[in-house]
């Protein structure tokens, strides 16, 4: 044991979010439309079926995220073009996406971030959603 005290999830979220700038839904929308960001939806299938999809977002289940977005990985998606890619990770409410973005930073994807409030904030902002 290192002697360090255990860190709770609230503190962990605070720590990882301090490492990058999170984005609000309108900013993510405009960056995506301008071709300046890849939106990545990590919500599980039941949530996507219930609430719909963000048009143009890449759907990657959370358990596959690192394998699909690692530019050096053998299982990467075609969109994983390099470490300078700006990625906006989207979960349902903006919690799991923060941890996912931090994990992507660990792979060298230094421009990875997440959407404040997740899909629910996107939808509440009146941004496009398809059934």
């Amino acid at each position: 044991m290192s002697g360090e005290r255990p860190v709770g999830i609230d503190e962990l979220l605070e720590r990882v979010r301090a490492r990058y700038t999170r984005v609000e839904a309108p900013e993510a929308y405009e960056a995506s439309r301008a071709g300046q960001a890849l939106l990545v939806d990590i919500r599980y299938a039941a949530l996507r079926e219930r609430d719909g999809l963000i048009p143009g977002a890449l759907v990657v289940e959370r358990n596959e995220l690192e394998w699909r977005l690692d530019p050096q990985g053998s299982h990467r998606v075609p969109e994983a073009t390099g470490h300078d890619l700006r990625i906006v990770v989207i979960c349902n409410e903006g919690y799991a996406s923060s941890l996912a973005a931090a994990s992507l930073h660990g792979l060298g994807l230094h421009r990875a971030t997440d959407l404040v409030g997740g899909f629910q904030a996107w939808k509440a902002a009146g941004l496009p959603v398809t059934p």
Side-chain angles (χ1 to χ4, degrees):
M1 298 277 273
S2 65
E4 291 184 30
R5 67 174 179 78
V7 175
I9 188 60
D10 293 330
E11 185 176 340
L12 179 61
L13 278 172
E14 187 177 316
R15 286 182 185 184
V16 300
R17 287 174 174 169
R19 296 181 195 156
Y20 61 88
T21 302
R22 302 177 78 209
V23 297
E24 300 285 339
E27 180 185 351
Y29 175 68
E30 290 303 324
S32 175
R33 283 189 48 173
Q36 298 171 345
L38 174 64
L39 304 181
V40 179
D41 187 344
I42 63 168
R43 294 174 300 141
Y44 52 89
L47 289 176
R48 294 191 311 267
E49 290 168 9
R50 181 189 78 188
D51 294 337
L53 299 169
I54 295 172
L58 177 66
V59 174
V60 178
E61 297 274 341
R62 174 62 190 99
N63 63 326
E64 297 180 353
L65 185 70
E66 291 82 359
W67 284 268
R68 300 292 183 237
L69 293 180
D70 178 3
Q72 299 175 352
S74 59
H75 293 82
R76 72 182 176 278
V77 294
E79 294 87 349
T81 57
H83 289 93
D84 287 331
L85 181 64
R86 183 176 184 203
I87 298 168
V88 179
V89 182
I90 303 166
C91 68
N92 193 49
E93 295 181 343
Y95 296 98
S97 58
S98 295
L99 299 175
S103 181
L104 294 177
H105 276 253
L107 291 175
L109 293 158
H110 61 97
R111 296 181 69 205
T113 186
D114 77 310
L115 183 65
V116 175
F119 179 85
Q120 296 306 319
W122 179 280
K123 191 173 174 181
L127 295 170
V129 174
T130 59

